[in-house]
């Protein structure tokens, strides 16, 4: 899951080296914290969060196989 | 960009040795002549020719980029599918098939739309209008089947609107699906269509004339 998010984020930003994802796992859920360069924030969020929504949608689809709820946090 | 500066008696000679050093052909390089050089009188006071030769950065084509992205998505999602990609002047088309396609389509094609959108962002990254390519991702005719379903739905809603003499409201749809409905009902003389609400809850209303 982490790799998938990293792959998508790195493909979209100008500074792929500054993309990092940390994984925080609890019993019920898996939280993926995505960090990108400040100047790349727009590339990840998009107008009215359109890009962020698409990213979450793909992650959610991939997480469906796992029992846990997966949350993507852009921090 | 990899480049070398070379001086030699003539421009041709300098370019030739620069290309050998870079290990590329003339087509793969950008050549800039910094100094034409001069022979001087009787071989005295001559200046050497100087050139700056750099390797052209290879631009990935839209097709290559799309393939690379979809491949990464499929592998990272651990889906059991394969895909075929093709390209024309306006668009890149990718057809996904295999056992795992359900995973990439998602509920009502939601995942397919998201992957299509992200692929288009990647393929068109850094392009400003110029060379923009539309990206279409389909899987086992999902879109064609969905289009048929939508057209059927559109006609039945139009019939109801006429029969009951009142507005019929569709479920919220994305712009692509709304366009299918609007154009399907264009030829229906007895109804008009319009969209209301904001994305992502924008929906079509069909009214009797």
């Amino acid at each position: 899951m982490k790799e998938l998010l990293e792959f998508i984020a790195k493909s979209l930003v100008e500074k792929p080296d500054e993309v990092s994802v940390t994984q925080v796992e609890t019993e019920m859920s898996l939280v993926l914290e995505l960090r990108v360069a400040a100047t790349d924030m727009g590339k990840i969020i998009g107008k009215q969060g359109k890009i962020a929504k698409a990213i979450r949608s793909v992650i959610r689809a991939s997480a469906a196989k796992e029992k846990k709820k997966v949350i993507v946090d852009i921090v | 960009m990899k480049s070398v500066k070379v001086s030699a008696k003539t421009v041709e000679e300098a370019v030739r040795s620069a290309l050998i050093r870079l290990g590329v052909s003339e087509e793969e390089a950008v050549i800039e002549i910094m100094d034409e050089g001069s022979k001087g009188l009787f071989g005295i006071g001559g200046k050497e020719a100087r050139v700056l030769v750099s390797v052209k950065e290879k631009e990935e084509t839209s097709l290559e980029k799309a393939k690379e992205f979809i491949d990464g998505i499929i592998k990272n999602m651990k889906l059991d599918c394969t895909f075929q990609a093709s390209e024309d002047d306006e668009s890149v088309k990718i057809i996904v098939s295999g056992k795992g396609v359900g995973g990439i389509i998602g509920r009502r094609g939601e995942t397919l739309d998201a992957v299509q959108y992200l692929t288009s962002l990647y393929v068109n990254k850094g392009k400003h209008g110029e060379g923009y390519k539309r990206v279409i991702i389909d899987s086992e005719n999902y879109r064609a089947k969905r289009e048929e379903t939508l057209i059927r739905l559109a006609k039945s809603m139009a019939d109801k609107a006429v029969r009951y003499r009142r507005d019929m409201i569709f479920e919220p749809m994305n712009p692509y699906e709304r366009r299918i409905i609007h154009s399907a009902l264009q030829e229906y003389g007895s109804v008009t269509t319009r969209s209301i609400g904001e994305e992502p809850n924008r929906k079509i209303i069909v009214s009797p004339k």
Side-chain angles (χ1 to χ4, degrees), chain B residues 69-205:
Chain B
F69 190 79
I70 292 296
D71 193 51
I73 290 285
I74 290 176
K75 283 199 180 122
N76 279 298
M77 284 180 90
K78 300 184 183 75
L79 294 173
D80 183 12
C81 9
T82 52
F83 66 91
Q84 279 184 311
S86 58
E87 187 182 24
D88 61 27
D89 289 345
E90 288 145 29
S91 60
V92 176
K93 198 169 182 186
I94 291 165
I95 309 285
V96 190
S97 54
K99 250 195 275 171
V101 285
I104 211 165
I105 297 177
R107 193 176 143 263
R108 288 213 183 149
E110 198 191 306
T111 316
L112 199 60
D113 287 338
V115 171
Q116 176 173 287
Y117 178 55
L118 295 174
T119 310
S120 140
L121 289 175
Y122 180 63
V123 167
N124 295 308
K125 191 162 104 178
K127 289 179 192 165
H128 301 286
E130 208 178 308
Y132 179 88
K133 291 261 171 135
R134 214 162 93 98
V135 173
I136 302 158
I137 302 180
D138 201 347
S139 120
E140 303 198 324
N141 291 320
Y142 172 79
R143 291 197 191 282
K145 277 189 210 151
R146 177 82 181 138
E147 193 171 331
E148 264 174 47
T149 311
L150 286 171
I151 292 173
R152 223 178 304 125
L153 174 73
K155 287 180 177 161
S156 100
M157 290 288 261
D159 288 341
K160 277 186 195 161
V162 172
R163 203 178 324 136
Y164 304 135
R165 301 291 313 154
R166 69 178 181 87
D167 291 353
M168 297 298 294
I169 305 168
F170 286 78
E171 268 184 64
M173 283 170 197
N174 65 32
Y176 173 79
E177 297 193 339
R178 289 201 308 272
R179 202 175 59 200
I180 294 172
I181 304 264
H182 281 306
S183 68
L185 295 182
Q186 200 91 80
E187 56 208 54
Y188 261 56
S190 48
V191 293
T192 56
T193 58
R194 68 199 151 95
S195 296
I196 58 153
E198 293 295 317
E199 299 284 7
N201 289 314
R202 206 160 158 75
K203 49 197 168 190
I204 295 182
I205 295 184

